[in-house]
Amino acid sequence: MELPVYLDNASTTPLDPRVADAMVRCLRSRDGFGNPSTDTHELGRKAQAQVEAARDQVAALINATGGEIIWTSGATESDNLALIGAASYRRVRGRHLVTSATEHKAVLSTCRHLEQQGFRVTYLEPDRNGLIAPKAVKAAIASDTILVSIMHANNEIGVVQDVAGIGAVCREADVLFHVDAAQSAGRLPLDVQRQCIDLLSVTAHKLYGPKGIGALFLNRQRLRRIEPLMHGGAQERGLRPGTLPTHQIVGMGEAFELAARAMDQDTARIASLRDRLWDGIRTVPGVTLNGHPQRRLCSILCVSVGGVEGESLIFGLRDLAVTSGAACNSATDEPSYVLRSLGRSDQLAHSSIRFSLGRFTTSEEVDFAAASFRQAVDHLHGMLPDRHAIATG
Amino acid sequence: MEYSPEVERYFREPVNLGSAESLAPHQIQGEAGSVERGTWIIIQARVEAGQLEAVRFLAYGCPHTIAACCRTTEKLAGAPVGELLNFAPDWLTDELTIPVEKAGKLLILQDALRECFDGWQTGAREHNGNYVDR
């Protein structure tokens, strides 16, 4: 077993060797280096064929068509393009958006930006388990609402939202529905038709693909176009200019096809490892599970510990590659806003640990993680001025 | 966050760790901070003949705080009780390579040491000025 044990797959996943092989083949081949937007010669057309094949692979995972996929640099750009692009295009219809307080910063910060541009945004608070009820979305939709954005699975606590229910509410109200599926794509079934999704953000590097490539699904029947964020080329039908990175696109296509083939098997195996980990740490004094006990992603286990200071806990777990709260917030000293939304105290928000498992996680690693966690918490509880703090947090 | 080897060593094997009754019955105690503030320290000491015969700590805090408590209690053991008042955090920031943004945590340690001294003084006054051993 190699240390540190990698349990941070919600931040990013290691590249699947089969994906790396596909990318290397593309990089080394004369068929891959041409500019895929150049159709005046064979080499450009061969690269374009690889790009279009990957587009179909990504579309297949979400029951879309290749023509509805726009390549981006990742889920953050996809979220920006979806929200700013759709809101700007539809601003004559209205200036109100609905989202939740526990979205990824890529959505929340974009909403703040739109507020500065004159839009209104309603931020729905989740229940104590992190769920947003479709009826809460319905109640928030006003006559000038143009878009609802709710993530499929939360990146910190792994809670899975009822996107089909929310999608139905949006469709009935004729409001666009955007879903950030960065965490859930390839781990949960996604069907943009059945779930009434109009815009959907995905990324490759959370699904054993390369960093720097993602995609936005755009329901062409519901939304003919959106405003681009950048200008300077006709690529991606003018919605996302710039020369396409063929090898990364090929990698994303391969990763999504592999995920489609292995999803049932991967999900069952990873969920069983997650439950094994939870069984190994649930009796540790002061441990609380964050998020809904059933409606959660197979890969994420987020816990808080009473009577333990967060930085010391992370230091005590230095043989594990895990994050405190969320990787995106680890650079700041602020307690996790997602956990605060669930009503956790600052102490419990600070002392949260997110274990995120993946395709390459082993049972040996999970057992090691559970033992390390028990040891680290016991060590810190042994220094605590008053053991009542374990229960009170 | 990077930690110096000294901080890592103290964190892994803390010295002078106290308990509710570690220095009883002749114990003075000072407390500062709280869980809500992110740092909570209790300093316990036994004084004999005006000397700090033993000093212990309990802490809820970051690795730097734990290391600072270890090093400080090591240094105070055997010193005159008045040294509880003379604690200045500067030497610790250098010795343990504690980053400047953690300076506030050392002030909480300073407050706990001062409260410990106050406890000793109060005890001494109660015994008509002749009190040295609690």
Side-chain angles (χ1 to χ4, degrees):
Chain A
M1 190 174 58
E2 212 171 334
L3 296 181
V5 167
Y6 191 73
L7 293 172
D8 197 18
N9 289 275
S11 293
T12 193
T13 50
L15 200 64
D16 189 298
R18 294 166 290 183
V19 172
D21 288 346
M23 292 177 72
V24 168
R25 275 197 304 276
C26 176
L27 283 166
R28 296 177 75 98
S29 162
R30 195 171 148 77
D31 293 347
F33 89 92
N35 189 325
S37 301
T38 302
D39 58 5
T40 55
H41 56 71
E42 188 184 351
L43 295 181
R45 288 192 294 274
K46 282 187 170 173
Q48 189 180 59
Q50 295 195 52
V51 166
E52 295 313 312
R55 213 186 287 275
D56 289 341
Q57 289 171 311
V58 171
L61 187 71
I62 60 172
N63 192 27
T65 61
E68 294 173 310
I69 300 297
I70 303 164
W71 299 117
T72 65
S73 62
T76 295
E77 186 189 334
S78 298
D79 288 344
N80 272 264
L81 182 57
L83 269 63
I84 297 173
S88 302
Y89 187 67
R90 286 239 167 145
R91 66 190 312 154
V92 290
R93 287 201 193 185
R95 291 183 167 234
H96 179 236
L97 293 86
V98 177
T99 189
S100 83
T102 51
E103 294 295 305
H104 191 277
K105 283 281 171 74
V107 166
L108 293 178
S109 297
T110 304
C111 284
R112 300 284 183 216
H113 169 77
L114 285 168
E115 285 179 302
Q116 290 168 355
Q117 309 302 310
F119 289 88
R120 284 185 301 116
V121 181
T122 298
Y123 300 92
L124 298 172
E125 290 292 339
D127 67 16
R128 56 182 290 122
N129 284 321
L131 293 172
I132 301 287
K135 65 181 178 187
V137 174
K138 187 173 186 175
I141 291 176
S143 58
D144 62 339
T145 305
I146 51 173
L147 184 122
V148 169
S149 180
I150 300 290
M151 70 201 317
H152 194 188
N154 186 273
N155 53 305
E156 278 189 54
I157 55 178
V159 160
V160 177
Q161 302 294 350
D162 176 9
V163 289
I166 296 169
V169 163
C170 293
R171 193 59 58 87
E172 189 186 343
D174 193 23
V175 171
L176 294 174
F177 182 33
H178 167 252
V179 174
D180 180 334
Q183 294 292 340
S184 62
R187 295 183 178 86
L188 290 172
L190 270 165
D191 183 331
V192 291
Q193 305 299 328
R194 193 180 59 78
Q195 294 168 317
C196 303
I197 297 168
D198 300 312
L199 299 131
L200 181 119
S201 303
V202 289
T203 189
H205 77 101
K206 310 266 195 204
L207 201 55
Y208 317 100
K211 293 167 183 63
I213 183 71
L216 175 67
F217 157 76
L218 173 60
N219 184 335
R220 295 280 185 186
Q221 290 171 339
R222 294 256 305 149
L223 188 62
R224 291 179 65 81
R225 64 170 286 113
I226 53 178
E227 291 295 332
L229 299 179
M230 297 186 292
H231 304 274
Q235 292 92 345
E236 301 304 277
R237 302 183 192 185
L239 297 182
R240 208 279 189 172
T243 300
L244 293 171
T246 310
H247 63 291
Q248 287 175 282
I249 289 171
V250 164
M252 182 165 179
E254 181 73 11
F256 273 54
E257 185 169 321
L258 289 170
R261 285 207 301 258
M263 183 154 53
D264 291 346
Q265 193 183 337
D266 268 4
T267 301
R269 197 185 72 84
I270 294 168
S272 120
L273 288 175
R274 178 203 61 191
D275 294 344
R276 183 184 179 113
L277 179 57
W278 177 231
D279 285 345
I281 64 174
R282 64 191 307 164
T283 55
V284 172
V287 165
T288 314
L289 177 69
N290 292 316
H292 196 279
Q294 280 87 40
R295 288 189 58 86
R296 57 200 175 103
L297 212 53
C298 62
S299 51
I300 293 179
L301 179 67
C302 182
V303 298
S304 290
V305 198
V308 163
E309 198 273 341
E311 188 186 326
S312 279
L313 181 57
I314 276 285
F315 189 47
L317 296 174
R318 56 201 175 282
D319 284 337
L320 308 180
V322 291
T323 53
S324 175
C328 298
N329 296 327
S330 288
T332 73
D333 202 24
E334 292 296 308
S336 155
Y337 65 89
V338 173
L339 297 178
R340 297 293 287 120
S341 286
L342 267 55
R344 297 282 184 265
S345 67
D346 278 1
Q347 189 273 317
L348 286 178
H350 264 301
S351 71
S352 70
I353 294 290
R354 182 188 66 185
F355 301 95
S356 51
L357 291 65
R359 184 179 287 165
F360 306 110
T361 306
T362 66
S363 53
E364 183 190 14
E365 289 176 326
V366 162
D367 292 345
F368 177 81
S372 300
F373 183 83
R374 287 195 302 267
Q375 192 177 14
V377 172
D378 188 54
H379 181 63
L380 293 170
H381 279 169
M383 300 185 213
L384 198 59
D386 183 347
R387 291 185 70 82
H388 287 105
I390 295 170
T392 58
Chain B
M1 181 70 71
E2 291 289 320
Y3 303 98
S4 65
E6 291 78 17
V7 171
E8 191 158 347
R9 179 170 56 84
Y10 281 126
F11 180 85
R12 194 183 297 124
E13 291 164 13
V15 297
N16 297 325
L17 207 52
S19 67
E21 57 288 310
S22 60
L23 300 175
H26 303 293
Q27 178 176 296
I28 54 174
Q29 181 167 304
E31 178 178 350
S34 64
V35 167
E36 291 72 28
R37 290 174 66 185
T39 304
W40 181 17
I41 298 170
I42 287 182
I43 296 292
Q44 303 166 327
R46 186 168 60 228
V47 184
E48 287 187 12
Q51 301 289 116
L52 292 161
E53 195 207 40
V55 189
R56 301 277 186 267
F57 80 95
L58 289 162
Y60 166 96
C62 68
H64 291 112
T65 302
I66 291 165
C69 289
C70 290
R71 185 70 194 101
T72 302
T73 51
E74 269 184 341
K75 189 157 176 158
L76 285 173
V81 68
E83 284 300 300
L84 289 169
L85 273 186
N86 293 334
F87 170 81
D90 296 357
W91 67 274
L92 270 177
T93 56
D94 293 340
E95 196 165 315
L96 298 175
T97 325
I98 294 176
V100 65
E101 62 266 26
K102 294 287 185 76
K105 309 210 179 267
L106 299 181
L107 295 175
I108 292 174
L109 172 57
Q110 188 175 35
D111 286 348
L113 293 166
R114 284 180 176 172
E115 192 177 292
C116 201
F117 180 81
D118 289 347
W120 176 78
Q121 266 200 324
T122 304
R125 273 198 301 272
E126 281 170 2
H127 288 76
N128 208 18
N130 298 319
Y131 187 95
V132 285
D133 298 341
R134 284 197 70 197

